[in-house]
Amino acid sequence: YLLREAKNLGPVSGQNRQRDLCTFCTISLDQEEVFRTKVFDKSGSPFYGEDFYFEIPRPFQFLSFYVYAKGVFQRDLPVGKVSIRKDDLCKYSGKEHWFSLQPVDPNSEVQGKVHLEMRLNEVITENGSIGQHLLVRIIECKELPLISGQNCDPYATVSLVGPARSDQKKTKVKKKTSNPCFEETFFFEVTRSSSYSKKSHFQVEEEDIEKLEIKVDLWNSENLAQDVFLGETRVPVKVLRNDLTHKAWYLLQPKGNGSKSKSDDLGSLRLKLTYIEDMVLPSACYKPLCNLLLKSPDVKPISASAAHILGDICRERYEVVLPMVRLLLYHNRFVPFVSAVATLELDNTQEANTIFRGNSLATRCIDDMMKIVGKSYLAVTLKPVIDEICDSNKSCEIDPIKLKEGDNVEVNKEHLQGYVQKVFSLITQSSSSCPPLMCDVFRSLRQLACKRFPGDPHVQYSAVSSFVFLRFFAVAVLSPHSFQLRSHLPDPEISRTLTLISKTIQTLGSWGSLSKKLSSFKETYMYDFFKSFQEEKCIEKVKKVHLVKITKRVFDSHTSLLFSLREVQKRAQGKKRLGKKNFKKRWLRVTNKELTYHKHKGKEAICIINVKNIRAVEKLDESSFNRKNMFQVVHSEKPLYVQAGNCVEASEWLEILGQVSRCNEGRLTTFHPSNYTGGAWQCCKSQSSSAPGCKPCTATMLANLQLDIDCDREAERLFSFLSSNDVKLHNMEDACASMAVYQGPQREPEEYSKFTIQEPKETFQTLKQLRNVMEELQRQHDTRSDTTAQYGSLNPIMSENWQRKIRT
């Protein structure tokens, strides 16, 4: 999701109307906050400009965006919200929209579902008459919201509501759980007693059935305050007209079906949403498609391969390359494929100084590969200096027009020069940290460039520098939040500093004479600033220190990498070195060498766990401690139990810790999804604390890449792209047929020129194979198209085969 900006933000409370607010935004799945922006200074129309991307790890009903006014001496006050139903996300996907802010009403803030059973019973009274009784059994609830960050104390009220009646009954309160199991049954009289001889068996008066409904309300019990409404559901009794027993899950709804009250104009929020939801089939269904794509590097010419055809017909859609790159990476087929497509691009490149400068299939594949594989490389190399630049807030403006009053351009130039030298030095000394896969790709590009332009001694370096500097480091410096180097978009002044650094680094790393580089600057102040680097012999540093080493694969296995630092709740099993049994807030920090937690950010570590000693990282059942978003780190001592801030953070921790420990010796094959207490494991009831786990561990991935890639998910995405471009596939088939008949491309229609077809017969055969694979996959989807659950069905919980991805 791209959270752009807000405008005309309205008042936060009655008489205290304040047009200029210090505001921030949060993103929530139902009532669970998963992201928040930084606070923006007083403005009625703040520009947020933040980009959020995340996988959705659980079912949800609403995606909500809240705007809050930052409180100084009191709690933050809600300005308004935008809530979008899951079913409506596709309607807004891929486009920018202005959404009007709606008031935040506690009675509309609901999430979760309730499991009900209803049945009509016939009873005979003492005087021989017959009556109808309605049985309502409330079985359980799932995924109720957290209250003040903790599990709630829920109870339910069950009412039979009609024109002249409202009978209400109440369950017991369940303590500290978001998934209460009630298992309570209530009886209501539906019709008045009547003579047995006048009534047929199980007949119910028609007028009562049409007017009665069962209403179930969920509440959180508050000891010293008013109980908090959690949601309601209403079920008409007439559902029992044809079926005397009805058992179903129901999603909780806002009070009164969320009727909107009149409110002042609260402003609006501009969002760009991209929502992707796939139904992933069993792995066997995707095997033919995967095999066809994975043999692409061996197809001659490469333009006739399935992977190249996919990139060719979807060239306007950049996102199609990512799942293909992931699939090739997982099966170790990326390097031969990208070498083949790079060779094809080089064959069509006439001048050495324009090598790999376009937005081709080869460059897009390498761009995505670097973002996936080079994430840790960027963090090792740039994160410390990026943090220093953002936290120090030194002015580096050297444009005379943009200087603020009191600024000294010479001082600013010294600041900027110091940052550039530090960044450039870190980059040129980082070759030993470059991932092996990136080195393999760069070495291949260097060799291919030398072969294509044997008379140019510099082309072997420009082929690599165009990616390392122009497409990797310079872009990461410019937008550190897009590469997870910073959590938020930098301030405008910091962004300007990063822009100047990025522009200089991009020029220093590009190939060519210094005179050409200096002439590339349109701004005089950049020309003067860059001249100061001539004496540093930057080209030799780039060439000898960095580009040569990076293509010769010189590695250092002792690099320390900071992946994340966040506040969590931790609990250690036992009272040994890992601490007491109660949960405490701690800052958790992981590098590729050790996992540590700290009492406060920046303080000395309380506990250090060597990453090599981690034997498993797995989810922990909520029932273990009645807490959500729990995971466990099983190592050589007692397990460490951790509660993340939300479901997205929990998934990220599992992924990060799984990556750094995946290569460890002695990793467990099974684990216990619950804790050991009361002399037994709560999951399998085994009484031995050292008993083997009762559940298989999450499967490990390729050790050399350490990437979590779901091949079935990626194959489904590729199938979706192919299906949506079916017309282009037909056009490409027609182009192949036309070229084969007329023995060449000279008579092809204008639209055929958009395709790269070297061998029409080979290309046509691949297209035919793709067509057969797509038809079979579509048939498999059609047979499973009715598996999604509906509101009020026996199982409305989303199938685990549904995979969701969100970008804002």
Side-chain angles (χ1 to χ4, degrees), residues 1-2 63 65 84 88-89 92-97 99 271-275 807-808:
Y1 293 94
L2 186 57
L63 178 74
F65 301 82
I84 306 173
D88 294 333
L89 283 173
Y92 301 108
S93 183
K95 301 177 182 178
E96 284 193 2
H97 294 272
F99 295 88
L271 304 170
K272 182 178 181 181
L273 313 179
T274 301
Y275 176 76
R807 188 180 193 93
T808 60

mmCIF file with all atom_site columns, all heavy atoms in Angstrom, residues 1-2 63 65 84 88-89 92-97 99 271-275 807-808:
data_model
loop_
_atom_site.group_PDB
_atom_site.id
_atom_site.type_symbol
_atom_site.label_atom_id
_atom_site.label_alt_id
_atom_site.label_comp_id
_atom_site.label_asym_id
_atom_site.label_entity_id
_atom_site.label_seq_id
_atom_site.pdbx_PDB_ins_code
_atom_site.Cartn_x
_atom_site.Cartn_y
_atom_site.Cartn_z
_atom_site.occupancy
_atom_site.B_iso_or_equiv
_atom_site.pdbx_formal_charge
_atom_site.auth_seq_id
_atom_site.auth_comp_id
_atom_site.auth_asym_id
_atom_site.auth_atom_id
_atom_site.pdbx_PDB_model_num
ATOM 1   N N   . TYR A 1 1   ? 0.833   -1.172  0.000   1.00 0.00 ? 1   TYR A N   1
ATOM 2   C CA  . TYR A 1 1   ? 0.000   0.000   0.000   1.00 0.00 ? 1   TYR A CA  1
ATOM 3   C C   . TYR A 1 1   ? 0.878   1.235   0.000   1.00 0.00 ? 1   TYR A C   1
ATOM 4   O O   . TYR A 1 1   ? 1.839   1.330   0.739   1.00 0.00 ? 1   TYR A O   1
ATOM 5   C CB  . TYR A 1 1   ? -0.887  0.027   1.247   1.00 0.00 ? 1   TYR A CB  1
ATOM 6   C CG  . TYR A 1 1   ? -1.902  -1.061  1.263   1.00 0.00 ? 1   TYR A CG  1
ATOM 7   C CD1 . TYR A 1 1   ? -1.639  -2.252  1.908   1.00 0.00 ? 1   TYR A CD1 1
ATOM 8   C CD2 . TYR A 1 1   ? -3.112  -0.913  0.612   1.00 0.00 ? 1   TYR A CD2 1
ATOM 9   C CE1 . TYR A 1 1   ? -2.557  -3.263  1.903   1.00 0.00 ? 1   TYR A CE1 1
ATOM 10  C CE2 . TYR A 1 1   ? -4.033  -1.926  0.604   1.00 0.00 ? 1   TYR A CE2 1
ATOM 11  C CZ  . TYR A 1 1   ? -3.757  -3.101  1.252   1.00 0.00 ? 1   TYR A CZ  1
ATOM 12  O OH  . TYR A 1 1   ? -4.665  -4.116  1.243   1.00 0.00 ? 1   TYR A OH  1
ATOM 13  N N   . LEU A 1 2   ? 0.521   2.203   -0.803  1.00 0.00 ? 2   LEU A N   1
ATOM 14  C CA  . LEU A 1 2   ? 1.195   3.490   -0.818  1.00 0.00 ? 2   LEU A CA  1
ATOM 15  C C   . LEU A 1 2   ? 0.281   4.476   -0.127  1.00 0.00 ? 2   LEU A C   1
ATOM 16  O O   . LEU A 1 2   ? -0.767  4.842   -0.644  1.00 0.00 ? 2   LEU A O   1
ATOM 17  C CB  . LEU A 1 2   ? 1.503   3.934   -2.241  1.00 0.00 ? 2   LEU A CB  1
ATOM 18  C CG  . LEU A 1 2   ? 2.333   5.215   -2.359  1.00 0.00 ? 2   LEU A CG  1
ATOM 19  C CD1 . LEU A 1 2   ? 3.649   5.053   -1.622  1.00 0.00 ? 2   LEU A CD1 1
ATOM 20  C CD2 . LEU A 1 2   ? 2.591   5.547   -3.809  1.00 0.00 ? 2   LEU A CD2 1
ATOM 21  N N   . LEU A 1 63  ? -9.589  -4.061  6.203   1.00 0.00 ? 63  LEU A N   1
ATOM 22  C CA  . LEU A 1 63  ? -8.296  -3.387  6.231   1.00 0.00 ? 63  LEU A CA  1
ATOM 23  C C   . LEU A 1 63  ? -8.603  -1.925  6.521   1.00 0.00 ? 63  LEU A C   1
ATOM 24  O O   . LEU A 1 63  ? -9.365  -1.284  5.792   1.00 0.00 ? 63  LEU A O   1
ATOM 25  C CB  . LEU A 1 63  ? -7.581  -3.523  4.891   1.00 0.00 ? 63  LEU A CB  1
ATOM 26  C CG  . LEU A 1 63  ? -6.237  -2.802  4.802   1.00 0.00 ? 63  LEU A CG  1
ATOM 27  C CD1 . LEU A 1 63  ? -5.175  -3.543  5.602   1.00 0.00 ? 63  LEU A CD1 1
ATOM 28  C CD2 . LEU A 1 63  ? -5.789  -2.671  3.364   1.00 0.00 ? 63  LEU A CD2 1
ATOM 29  N N   . PHE A 1 65  ? -7.376  2.116   7.869   1.00 0.00 ? 65  PHE A N   1
ATOM 30  C CA  . PHE A 1 65  ? -6.356  3.152   7.992   1.00 0.00 ? 65  PHE A CA  1
ATOM 31  C C   . PHE A 1 65  ? -6.897  4.210   8.955   1.00 0.00 ? 65  PHE A C   1
ATOM 32  O O   . PHE A 1 65  ? -7.939  4.813   8.687   1.00 0.00 ? 65  PHE A O   1
ATOM 33  C CB  . PHE A 1 65  ? -6.055  3.780   6.631   1.00 0.00 ? 65  PHE A CB  1
ATOM 34  C CG  . PHE A 1 65  ? -5.572  2.799   5.600   1.00 0.00 ? 65  PHE A CG  1
ATOM 35  C CD1 . PHE A 1 65  ? -6.472  2.022   4.877   1.00 0.00 ? 65  PHE A CD1 1
ATOM 36  C CD2 . PHE A 1 65  ? -4.225  2.634   5.359   1.00 0.00 ? 65  PHE A CD2 1
ATOM 37  C CE1 . PHE A 1 65  ? -6.043  1.119   3.937   1.00 0.00 ? 65  PHE A CE1 1
ATOM 38  C CE2 . PHE A 1 65  ? -3.781  1.730   4.417   1.00 0.00 ? 65  PHE A CE2 1
ATOM 39  C CZ  . PHE A 1 65  ? -4.687  0.969   3.709   1.00 0.00 ? 65  PHE A CZ  1
ATOM 40  N N   . ILE A 1 84  ? -11.931 -0.688  4.686   1.00 0.00 ? 84  ILE A N   1
ATOM 41  C CA  . ILE A 1 84  ? -12.301 -1.328  3.426   1.00 0.00 ? 84  ILE A CA  1
ATOM 42  C C   . ILE A 1 84  ? -12.512 -2.810  3.679   1.00 0.00 ? 84  ILE A C   1
ATOM 43  O O   . ILE A 1 84  ? -11.630 -3.489  4.222   1.00 0.00 ? 84  ILE A O   1
ATOM 44  C CB  . ILE A 1 84  ? -11.204 -1.126  2.363   1.00 0.00 ? 84  ILE A CB  1
ATOM 45  C CG1 . ILE A 1 84  ? -10.884 0.367   2.199   1.00 0.00 ? 84  ILE A CG1 1
ATOM 46  C CG2 . ILE A 1 84  ? -11.635 -1.723  1.032   1.00 0.00 ? 84  ILE A CG2 1
ATOM 47  C CD1 . ILE A 1 84  ? -9.709  0.639   1.293   1.00 0.00 ? 84  ILE A CD1 1
ATOM 48  N N   . ASP A 1 88  ? -13.941 -5.907  -0.963  1.00 0.00 ? 88  ASP A N   1
ATOM 49  C CA  . ASP A 1 88  ? -13.908 -4.708  -1.807  1.00 0.00 ? 88  ASP A CA  1
ATOM 50  C C   . ASP A 1 88  ? -12.496 -4.293  -2.186  1.00 0.00 ? 88  ASP A C   1
ATOM 51  O O   . ASP A 1 88  ? -12.330 -3.343  -2.961  1.00 0.00 ? 88  ASP A O   1
ATOM 52  C CB  . ASP A 1 88  ? -14.595 -3.544  -1.080  1.00 0.00 ? 88  ASP A CB  1
ATOM 53  C CG  . ASP A 1 88  ? -16.084 -3.786  -0.883  1.00 0.00 ? 88  ASP A CG  1
ATOM 54  O OD1 . ASP A 1 88  ? -16.669 -4.521  -1.699  1.00 0.00 ? 88  ASP A OD1 1
ATOM 55  O OD2 . ASP A 1 88  ? -16.654 -3.252  0.087   1.00 0.00 ? 88  ASP A OD2 1
ATOM 56  N N   . LEU A 1 89  ? -11.484 -4.955  -1.662  1.00 0.00 ? 89  LEU A N   1
ATOM 57  C CA  . LEU A 1 89  ? -10.107 -4.538  -1.927  1.00 0.00 ? 89  LEU A CA  1
ATOM 58  C C   . LEU A 1 89  ? -9.755  -4.628  -3.408  1.00 0.00 ? 89  LEU A C   1
ATOM 59  O O   . LEU A 1 89  ? -9.059  -3.770  -3.949  1.00 0.00 ? 89  LEU A O   1
ATOM 60  C CB  . LEU A 1 89  ? -9.131  -5.378  -1.098  1.00 0.00 ? 89  LEU A CB  1
ATOM 61  C CG  . LEU A 1 89  ? -9.025  -5.008  0.384   1.00 0.00 ? 89  LEU A CG  1
ATOM 62  C CD1 . LEU A 1 89  ? -8.169  -6.026  1.126   1.00 0.00 ? 89  LEU A CD1 1
ATOM 63  C CD2 . LEU A 1 89  ? -8.453  -3.615  0.558   1.00 0.00 ? 89  LEU A CD2 1
ATOM 64  N N   . TYR A 1 92  ? -10.505 -1.583  -5.564  1.00 0.00 ? 92  TYR A N   1
ATOM 65  C CA  . TYR A 1 92  ? -9.627  -0.411  -5.499  1.00 0.00 ? 92  TYR A CA  1
ATOM 66  C C   . TYR A 1 92  ? -8.189  -0.731  -5.864  1.00 0.00 ? 92  TYR A C   1
ATOM 67  O O   . TYR A 1 92  ? -7.341  0.156   -5.906  1.00 0.00 ? 92  TYR A O   1
ATOM 68  C CB  . TYR A 1 92  ? -9.660  0.181   -4.085  1.00 0.00 ? 92  TYR A CB  1
ATOM 69  C CG  . TYR A 1 92  ? -11.028 0.599   -3.621  1.00 0.00 ? 92  TYR A CG  1
ATOM 70  C CD1 . TYR A 1 92  ? -11.717 -0.121  -2.652  1.00 0.00 ? 92  TYR A CD1 1
ATOM 71  C CD2 . TYR A 1 92  ? -11.646 1.720   -4.165  1.00 0.00 ? 92  TYR A CD2 1
ATOM 72  C CE1 . TYR A 1 92  ? -12.976 0.258   -2.218  1.00 0.00 ? 92  TYR A CE1 1
ATOM 73  C CE2 . TYR A 1 92  ? -12.918 2.114   -3.746  1.00 0.00 ? 92  TYR A CE2 1
ATOM 74  C CZ  . TYR A 1 92  ? -13.563 1.369   -2.775  1.00 0.00 ? 92  TYR A CZ  1
ATOM 75  O OH  . TYR A 1 92  ? -14.812 1.759   -2.364  1.00 0.00 ? 92  TYR A OH  1
ATOM 76  N N   . SER A 1 93  ? -7.884  -1.996  -6.119  1.00 0.00 ? 93  SER A N   1
ATOM 77  C CA  . SER A 1 93  ? -6.499  -2.413  -6.325  1.00 0.00 ? 93  SER A CA  1
ATOM 78  C C   . SER A 1 93  ? -5.910  -1.817  -7.592  1.00 0.00 ? 93  SER A C   1
ATOM 79  O O   . SER A 1 93  ? -6.553  -1.772  -8.641  1.00 0.00 ? 93  SER A O   1
ATOM 80  C CB  . SER A 1 93  ? -6.420  -3.945  -6.399  1.00 0.00 ? 93  SER A CB  1
ATOM 81  O OG  . SER A 1 93  ? -5.088  -4.374  -6.533  1.00 0.00 ? 93  SER A OG  1
ATOM 82  N N   . GLY A 1 94  ? -4.664  -1.332  -7.471  1.00 0.00 ? 94  GLY A N   1
ATOM 83  C CA  . GLY A 1 94  ? -3.932  -0.834  -8.620  1.00 0.00 ? 94  GLY A CA  1
ATOM 84  C C   . GLY A 1 94  ? -4.187  0.607   -8.982  1.00 0.00 ? 94  GLY A C   1
ATOM 85  O O   . GLY A 1 94  ? -3.596  1.122   -9.937  1.00 0.00 ? 94  GLY A O   1
ATOM 86  N N   . LYS A 1 95  ? -5.050  1.305   -8.252  1.00 0.00 ? 95  LYS A N   1
ATOM 87  C CA  . LYS A 1 95  ? -5.378  2.697   -8.578  1.00 0.00 ? 95  LYS A CA  1
ATOM 88  C C   . LYS A 1 95  ? -5.310  3.547   -7.314  1.00 0.00 ? 95  LYS A C   1
ATOM 89  O O   . LYS A 1 95  ? -5.466  3.066   -6.209  1.00 0.00 ? 95  LYS A O   1
ATOM 90  C CB  . LYS A 1 95  ? -6.780  2.798   -9.191  1.00 0.00 ? 95  LYS A CB  1
ATOM 91  C CG  . LYS A 1 95  ? -6.963  1.992   -10.463 1.00 0.00 ? 95  LYS A CG  1
ATOM 92  C CD  . LYS A 1 95  ? -8.394  2.097   -10.958 1.00 0.00 ? 95  LYS A CD  1
ATOM 93  C CE  . LYS A 1 95  ? -8.608  1.261   -12.216 1.00 0.00 ? 95  LYS A CE  1
ATOM 94  N NZ  . LYS A 1 95  ? -10.008 1.312   -12.678 1.00 0.00 ? 95  LYS A NZ  1
ATOM 95  N N   . GLU A 1 96  ? -5.101  4.842   -7.539  1.00 0.00 ? 96  GLU A N   1
ATOM 96  C CA  . GLU A 1 96  ? -5.125  5.792   -6.433  1.00 0.00 ? 96  GLU A CA  1
ATOM 97  C C   . GLU A 1 96  ? -6.554  6.297   -6.230  1.00 0.00 ? 96  GLU A C   1
ATOM 98  O O   . GLU A 1 96  ? -7.272  6.554   -7.192  1.00 0.00 ? 96  GLU A O   1
ATOM 99  C CB  . GLU A 1 96  ? -4.188  6.971   -6.690  1.00 0.00 ? 96  GLU A CB  1
ATOM 100 C CG  . GLU A 1 96  ? -2.724  6.641   -6.489  1.00 0.00 ? 96  GLU A CG  1
ATOM 101 C CD  . GLU A 1 96  ? -1.862  7.889   -6.435  1.00 0.00 ? 96  GLU A CD  1
ATOM 102 O OE1 . GLU A 1 96  ? -2.420  9.002   -6.516  1.00 0.00 ? 96  GLU A OE1 1
ATOM 103 O OE2 . GLU A 1 96  ? -0.634  7.747   -6.308  1.00 0.00 ? 96  GLU A OE2 1
ATOM 104 N N   . HIS A 1 97  ? -6.932  6.432   -4.953  1.00 0.00 ? 97  HIS A N   1
ATOM 105 C CA  . HIS A 1 97  ? -8.268  6.921   -4.629  1.00 0.00 ? 97  HIS A CA  1
ATOM 106 C C   . HIS A 1 97  ? -8.176  7.866   -3.433  1.00 0.00 ? 97  HIS A C   1
ATOM 107 O O   . HIS A 1 97  ? -7.350  7.681   -2.543  1.00 0.00 ? 97  HIS A O   1
ATOM 108 C CB  . HIS A 1 97  ? -9.215  5.763   -4.269  1.00 0.00 ? 97  HIS A CB  1
ATOM 109 C CG  . HIS A 1 97  ? -9.509  4.828   -5.395  1.00 0.00 ? 97  HIS A CG  1
ATOM 110 N ND1 . HIS A 1 97  ? -10.543 5.020   -6.281  1.00 0.00 ? 97  HIS A ND1 1
ATOM 111 C CD2 . HIS A 1 97  ? -8.888  3.700   -5.789  1.00 0.00 ? 97  HIS A CD2 1
ATOM 112 C CE1 . HIS A 1 97  ? -10.556 4.041   -7.173  1.00 0.00 ? 97  HIS A CE1 1
ATOM 113 N NE2 . HIS A 1 97  ? -9.559  3.216   -6.891  1.00 0.00 ? 97  HIS A NE2 1
ATOM 114 N N   . PHE A 1 99  ? -10.197 8.745   -0.198  1.00 0.00 ? 99  PHE A N   1
ATOM 115 C CA  . PHE A 1 99  ? -11.226 8.162   0.661   1.00 0.00 ? 99  PHE A CA  1
ATOM 116 C C   . PHE A 1 99  ? -11.595 9.177   1.745   1.00 0.00 ? 99  PHE A C   1
ATOM 117 O O   . PHE A 1 99  ? -10.716 9.730   2.409   1.00 0.00 ? 99  PHE A O   1
ATOM 118 C CB  . PHE A 1 99  ? -10.728 6.882   1.333   1.00 0.00 ? 99  PHE A CB  1
ATOM 119 C CG  . PHE A 1 99  ? -10.442 5.759   0.391   1.00 0.00 ? 99  PHE A CG  1
ATOM 120 C CD1 . PHE A 1 99  ? -9.196  5.629   -0.198  1.00 0.00 ? 99  PHE A CD1 1
ATOM 121 C CD2 . PHE A 1 99  ? -11.414 4.817   0.092   1.00 0.00 ? 99  PHE A CD2 1
ATOM 122 C CE1 . PHE A 1 99  ? -8.912  4.590   -1.071  1.00 0.00 ? 99  PHE A CE1 1
ATOM 123 C CE2 . PHE A 1 99  ? -11.150 3.770   -0.777  1.00 0.00 ? 99  PHE A CE2 1
ATOM 124 C CZ  . PHE A 1 99  ? -9.899  3.657   -1.359  1.00 0.00 ? 99  PHE A CZ  1
ATOM 125 N N   . LEU A 1 271 ? -4.903  7.015   -1.020  1.00 0.00 ? 271 LEU A N   1
ATOM 126 C CA  . LEU A 1 271 ? -4.244  5.712   -0.932  1.00 0.00 ? 271 LEU A CA  1
ATOM 127 C C   . LEU A 1 271 ? -4.115  5.101   -2.316  1.00 0.00 ? 271 LEU A C   1
ATOM 128 O O   . LEU A 1 271 ? -4.969  5.300   -3.179  1.00 0.00 ? 271 LEU A O   1
ATOM 129 C CB  . LEU A 1 271 ? -5.053  4.748   -0.055  1.00 0.00 ? 271 LEU A CB  1
ATOM 130 C CG  . LEU A 1 271 ? -5.379  5.173   1.368   1.00 0.00 ? 271 LEU A CG  1
ATOM 131 C CD1 . LEU A 1 271 ? -6.381  4.192   1.977   1.00 0.00 ? 271 LEU A CD1 1
ATOM 132 C CD2 . LEU A 1 271 ? -4.121  5.231   2.211   1.00 0.00 ? 271 LEU A CD2 1
ATOM 133 N N   . LYS A 1 272 ? -3.054  4.350   -2.492  1.00 0.00 ? 272 LYS A N   1
ATOM 134 C CA  . LYS A 1 272 ? -2.937  3.480   -3.653  1.00 0.00 ? 272 LYS A CA  1
ATOM 135 C C   . LYS A 1 272 ? -2.779  2.061   -3.134  1.00 0.00 ? 272 LYS A C   1
ATOM 136 O O   . LYS A 1 272 ? -1.802  1.732   -2.456  1.00 0.00 ? 272 LYS A O   1
ATOM 137 C CB  . LYS A 1 272 ? -1.740  3.861   -4.525  1.00 0.00 ? 272 LYS A CB  1
ATOM 138 C CG  . LYS A 1 272 ? -1.648  2.987   -5.778  1.00 0.00 ? 272 LYS A CG  1
ATOM 139 C CD  . LYS A 1 272 ? -0.499  3.393   -6.684  1.00 0.00 ? 272 LYS A CD  1
ATOM 140 C CE  . LYS A 1 272 ? -0.462  2.514   -7.932  1.00 0.00 ? 272 LYS A CE  1
ATOM 141 N NZ  . LYS A 1 272 ? 0.656   2.878   -8.829  1.00 0.00 ? 272 LYS A NZ  1
ATOM 142 N N   . LEU A 1 273 ? -3.749  1.214   -3.431  1.00 0.00 ? 273 LEU A N   1
ATOM 143 C CA  . LEU A 1 273 ? -3.782  -0.149  -2.916  1.00 0.00 ? 273 LEU A CA  1
ATOM 144 C C   . LEU A 1 273 ? -3.476  -1.142  -4.012  1.00 0.00 ? 273 LEU A C   1
ATOM 145 O O   . LEU A 1 273 ? -3.951  -1.015  -5.129  1.00 0.00 ? 273 LEU A O   1
ATOM 146 C CB  . LEU A 1 273 ? -5.167  -0.466  -2.333  1.00 0.00 ? 273 LEU A CB  1
ATOM 147 C CG  . LEU A 1 273 ? -5.808  0.561   -1.404  1.00 0.00 ? 273 LEU A CG  1
ATOM 148 C CD1 . LEU A 1 273 ? -7.174  0.084   -0.966  1.00 0.00 ? 273 LEU A CD1 1
ATOM 149 C CD2 . LEU A 1 273 ? -4.932  0.796   -0.193  1.00 0.00 ? 273 LEU A CD2 1
ATOM 150 N N   . THR A 1 274 ? -2.671  -2.134  -3.682  1.00 0.00 ? 274 THR A N   1
ATOM 151 C CA  . THR A 1 274 ? -2.481  -3.287  -4.558  1.00 0.00 ? 274 THR A CA  1
ATOM 152 C C   . THR A 1 274 ? -2.703  -4.530  -3.715  1.00 0.00 ? 274 THR A C   1
ATOM 153 O O   . THR A 1 274 ? -1.952  -4.789  -2.779  1.00 0.00 ? 274 THR A O   1
ATOM 154 C CB  . THR A 1 274 ? -1.068  -3.313  -5.165  1.00 0.00 ? 274 THR A CB  1
ATOM 155 O OG1 . THR A 1 274 ? -0.853  -2.108  -5.903  1.00 0.00 ? 274 THR A OG1 1
ATOM 156 C CG2 . THR A 1 274 ? -0.909  -4.505  -6.099  1.00 0.00 ? 274 THR A CG2 1
ATOM 157 N N   . TYR A 1 275 ? -3.759  -5.244  -4.018  1.00 0.00 ? 275 TYR A N   1
ATOM 158 C CA  . TYR A 1 275 ? -4.145  -6.418  -3.234  1.00 0.00 ? 275 TYR A CA  1
ATOM 159 C C   . TYR A 1 275 ? -4.184  -7.631  -4.145  1.00 0.00 ? 275 TYR A C   1
ATOM 160 O O   . TYR A 1 275 ? -4.839  -7.616  -5.187  1.00 0.00 ? 275 TYR A O   1
ATOM 161 C CB  . TYR A 1 275 ? -5.516  -6.189  -2.595  1.00 0.00 ? 275 TYR A CB  1
ATOM 162 C CG  . TYR A 1 275 ? -6.057  -7.376  -1.833  1.00 0.00 ? 275 TYR A CG  1
ATOM 163 C CD1 . TYR A 1 275 ? -5.558  -7.708  -0.576  1.00 0.00 ? 275 TYR A CD1 1
ATOM 164 C CD2 . TYR A 1 275 ? -7.072  -8.168  -2.353  1.00 0.00 ? 275 TYR A CD2 1
ATOM 165 C CE1 . TYR A 1 275 ? -6.061  -8.793  0.126   1.00 0.00 ? 275 TYR A CE1 1
ATOM 166 C CE2 . TYR A 1 275 ? -7.579  -9.246  -1.662  1.00 0.00 ? 275 TYR A CE2 1
ATOM 167 C CZ  . TYR A 1 275 ? -7.070  -9.547  -0.423  1.00 0.00 ? 275 TYR A CZ  1
ATOM 168 O OH  . TYR A 1 275 ? -7.565  -10.625 0.272   1.00 0.00 ? 275 TYR A OH  1
ATOM 169 N N   . ARG A 1 807 ? -0.004  -4.560  -0.716  1.00 0.00 ? 807 ARG A N   1
ATOM 170 C CA  . ARG A 1 807 ? 0.972   -3.468  -0.843  1.00 0.00 ? 807 ARG A CA  1
ATOM 171 C C   . ARG A 1 807 ? 0.200   -2.163  -0.781  1.00 0.00 ? 807 ARG A C   1
ATOM 172 O O   . ARG A 1 807 ? -0.804  -2.010  -1.437  1.00 0.00 ? 807 ARG A O   1
ATOM 173 C CB  . ARG A 1 807 ? 1.720   -3.578  -2.175  1.00 0.00 ? 807 ARG A CB  1
ATOM 174 C CG  . ARG A 1 807 ? 2.868   -2.588  -2.279  1.00 0.00 ? 807 ARG A CG  1
ATOM 175 C CD  . ARG A 1 807 ? 3.576   -2.732  -3.607  1.00 0.00 ? 807 ARG A CD  1
ATOM 176 N NE  . ARG A 1 807 ? 4.828   -2.015  -3.582  1.00 0.00 ? 807 ARG A NE  1
ATOM 177 C CZ  . ARG A 1 807 ? 5.989   -2.564  -3.258  1.00 0.00 ? 807 ARG A CZ  1
ATOM 178 N NH1 . ARG A 1 807 ? 6.048   -3.816  -2.915  1.00 0.00 ? 807 ARG A NH1 1
ATOM 179 N NH2 . ARG A 1 807 ? 7.093   -1.856  -3.261  1.00 0.00 ? 807 ARG A NH2 1
ATOM 180 N N   . THR A 1 808 ? 0.642   -1.224  0.070   1.00 0.00 ? 808 THR A N   1
ATOM 181 C CA  . THR A 1 808 ? 0.007   0.094   0.112   1.00 0.00 ? 808 THR A CA  1
ATOM 182 C C   . THR A 1 808 ? 1.071   1.132   -0.141  1.00 0.00 ? 808 THR A C   1
ATOM 183 O O   . THR A 1 808 ? 2.182   0.977   0.289   1.00 0.00 ? 808 THR A O   1
ATOM 184 C CB  . THR A 1 808 ? -0.637  0.376   1.476   1.00 0.00 ? 808 THR A CB  1
ATOM 185 O OG1 . THR A 1 808 ? 0.363   0.334   2.468   1.00 0.00 ? 808 THR A OG1 1
ATOM 186 C CG2 . THR A 1 808 ? -1.707  -0.603  1.789   1.00 0.00 ? 808 THR A CG2 1
#
